[in-house]
Amino acid sequence: MVDVNENPFDGTDAIFERKQPLKKDTFTPDTIFHRDEEIEFYINALQDVIVGHDPNNVFVYGPTGVGKTAVTKWVRDKLEEKAEAEDIPLTVIGPINCRNYRSAYALVNTLVNEFRDPENQLPESGYSTDSVFEFLYEEIEAVGGNVLIILDEIDNIPADARNDFLYELPRAEANENTPITDAKVGLIGISNDLKFVDVLEPKVKSTLGEREIKFGPYDATELRDILGYYADIAFREDVLGEDVVPLAAAFSAQERGDVRQGLRILEKAGEYARMEGAEGVTEAHTRRATDTIETDELLDYFEHDLSSQQALTYLATTLALIEPKHEASTKRIYNLYSSIAESSGRRVKSERKIYEFLDQLSMQGLVRSAERNLGRKGGRKYIYEVTDDPTDIINAALQSSYSDAVPSNVNGILEHYLEDEATEFEAPDTTDDEQQNLWQFT
């Protein structure tokens, strides 16, 4: 029973000193661990700015949580510091996260406003794409000198917009039709997709002439050093059991070598200890955190990392997988996608677009496909599967803003799917219409 006259909030925190260091995206560390080689490549690529040459285009690749953005910010700060000391004209814009830009217009519009004063901002609409590019060139020429533009998660820009932007901007200096005559432009792109450049149009690749820096996942020893550094800042003295950091590091190394995941485990373990009123964070708290971290991470994907159309496609792929026969063909995924989009009042895109969404999900490591030859029937089709546990994906979707798109009978079908998996039961063939009737959409 709760006494409504008492205030349940505690004014002290016996576990955490500062939680911000565990929020990797909002905290800038004083020390960069285990990225000496990548920093050396970065310095070499940007050295031309300091010695008087045109800036290079640099592209940084690697999975999430492996230090790409942290290293980029550190190198940016050192470059600006040196340029100021040497009286070298340098303007750096970014990193700007490209996650929410669905067109070249929207991205260029934002870049223009990065150069402009608050009282002279460009409106979000009302001009042609060519016009906003022209405004950007004018701003670049106005500041003059070396101009570096840093774009984070550049792989999130749709393919057509990406090709337009990456073709136009690097050519601006040499293009007689732009006002740029004295300024020198360089682009730094950060991508979670290792094949990002491979899918660019040939003319774009030729224009970029980029320097590539690849970041690999951390191993358990490296993660132990990094997580230990953050834990020393975030937790109060002597509250962490000796097994906590090594266990979080080992789990993260087994999964993806991702610092962000390790930090989430530490934060979750600390919260469990605080909820219990424990004096410290134990191995048991940490193991409990690792048990729930998968759903938490997938919830982050639904809420922050995926566009609405990607999220619906991801959910449809999961639903197709857990149906009888467990075969998630592109056609089946599209039919389910259409149903959940319609039932939740969201826009239904064309079937052709589903291929694009599935490719994007594949690049993020959320789905994978296998090609199947149809033999005498001729042709081929692709069968998809999700890379995480369908139960975790469904649970995350139910906790997300896409819960209204989840069929009301999903738990019952998921239960049958898990039973079938355990007994290697194979359901009889069903037509697409019969599969459709399995689901109850509100």
Side-chain angles (χ1 to χ4, degrees), residues 153-374:
E153 299 193 36
I154 195 171
D155 46 290
N156 276 292
I157 306 173
D160 53 349
R162 184 190 310 158
N163 283 309
D164 288 346
F165 180 82
L166 296 180
Y167 182 66
E168 293 294 335
L169 185 62
R171 296 175 65 252
E173 273 181 69
N175 191 338
E176 295 180 355
N177 295 320
T178 73
I180 298 179
T181 56
D182 297 325
K184 302 173 183 179
V185 184
L187 180 66
I188 297 176
I190 306 172
S191 171
N192 296 330
D193 178 12
L194 298 176
K195 298 181 179 179
F196 171 72
V197 172
D198 294 342
V199 299
L200 295 175
E201 293 179 0
K203 67 176 184 179
V204 178
K205 294 181 187 178
S206 175
T207 298
L208 286 173
E210 81 286 346
R211 307 286 185 93
E212 295 184 18
I213 305 174
K214 295 185 179 180
F215 283 62
Y218 295 109
D219 62 30
T221 301
E222 292 170 337
L223 283 167
R224 189 181 300 184
D225 292 339
I226 298 167
L227 295 180
Y229 166 81
Y230 284 98
D232 286 344
I233 304 172
F235 290 91
R236 292 194 179 277
E237 191 173 357
D238 297 328
V239 302
L240 285 186
E242 62 180 15
D243 294 329
V244 171
V245 169
L247 184 59
F251 182 85
S252 300
Q254 289 171 4
E255 293 294 307
R256 290 192 298 269
D258 178 351
V259 172
R260 189 177 289 112
Q261 185 180 55
L263 294 176
R264 285 172 176 161
I265 292 171
L266 292 178
E267 181 180 16
K268 196 83 172 178
E271 289 176 349
Y272 284 139
R274 188 172 64 182
M275 285 164 51
E276 292 177 4
E279 294 182 355
V281 185
T282 66
E283 178 184 346
H285 294 131
T286 312
R287 292 194 181 279
R288 183 181 172 192
T290 61
D291 289 340
T292 59
I293 197 69
E294 293 297 331
T295 297
D296 291 343
E297 287 191 337
L298 290 167
L299 180 58
D300 272 352
Y301 271 106
F302 275 109
E303 295 295 87
H304 305 298
D305 295 339
L306 299 179
S307 69
S308 62
Q309 295 297 328
Q310 289 172 337
L312 293 175
T313 304
Y314 187 36
L315 176 57
T317 305
T318 308
L319 297 179
L321 177 69
I322 67 174
E323 286 180 318
K325 205 62 176 172
H326 318 320
E327 188 173 88
S329 66
T330 311
K331 181 179 180 181
R332 183 63 197 138
I333 292 170
Y334 180 71
N335 286 340
L336 277 169
Y337 154 82
S338 300
S339 295
I340 62 178
E342 288 176 357
S343 69
S344 60
R346 294 178 172 89
R347 183 180 177 186
V348 179
K349 295 281 191 174
S350 68
E351 187 170 352
R352 181 181 61 82
K353 277 289 186 181
I354 286 295
Y355 288 94
E356 182 179 316
F357 300 144
L358 287 169
D359 282 345
Q360 292 164 357
L361 293 172
S362 179
M363 289 175 184
Q364 295 184 63
L366 296 175
V367 305
R368 54 174 170 253
S369 63
E371 186 178 334
R372 180 171 299 174
N373 194 318
L374 298 180

Side-chain angles (χ1 to χ4, degrees), residues 33-152:
F33 291 87
H34 303 296
R35 287 302 181 213
D36 292 354
E37 184 176 354
E38 290 83 357
I39 289 174
E40 185 178 343
F41 286 143
Y42 231 139
I43 298 298
N44 184 57
L46 297 179
Q47 178 66 27
D48 284 354
V49 172
I50 301 302
V51 298
H53 305 309
D54 288 0
N56 292 301
N57 298 312
V58 182
F59 279 83
V60 182
Y61 309 89
T64 59
V66 295
K68 302 185 302 297
T69 304
V71 168
T72 298
K73 289 178 178 179
W74 184 86
V75 171
R76 173 202 63 189
D77 293 346
K78 294 300 180 183
L79 181 67
E80 290 180 313
E81 181 182 307
K82 185 66 173 178
E84 183 177 1
E86 299 288 337
D87 199 24
I88 296 168
L90 173 65
T91 301
V92 182
I93 301 296
I96 292 176
N97 194 295
C98 299
R99 185 181 298 158
N100 297 317
Y101 296 108
R102 314 317 301 168
S103 67
Y105 181 99
L107 176 57
V108 176
N109 183 286
T110 295
L111 290 174
V112 171
N113 288 332
E114 287 290 318
F115 285 95
R116 291 188 172 188
D117 295 330
E119 63 273 11
N120 191 32
Q121 296 284 287
L122 198 64
E124 292 183 359
S125 61
Y127 296 95
S128 67
T129 300
D130 287 344
S131 294
V132 292
F133 266 109
E134 188 70 17
F135 292 143
L136 177 60
Y137 301 149
E138 290 172 357
E139 297 298 335
I140 290 172
E141 180 64 12
V143 298
N146 300 283
V147 177
L148 276 180
I149 296 175
I150 306 174
L151 301 178
D152 201 357

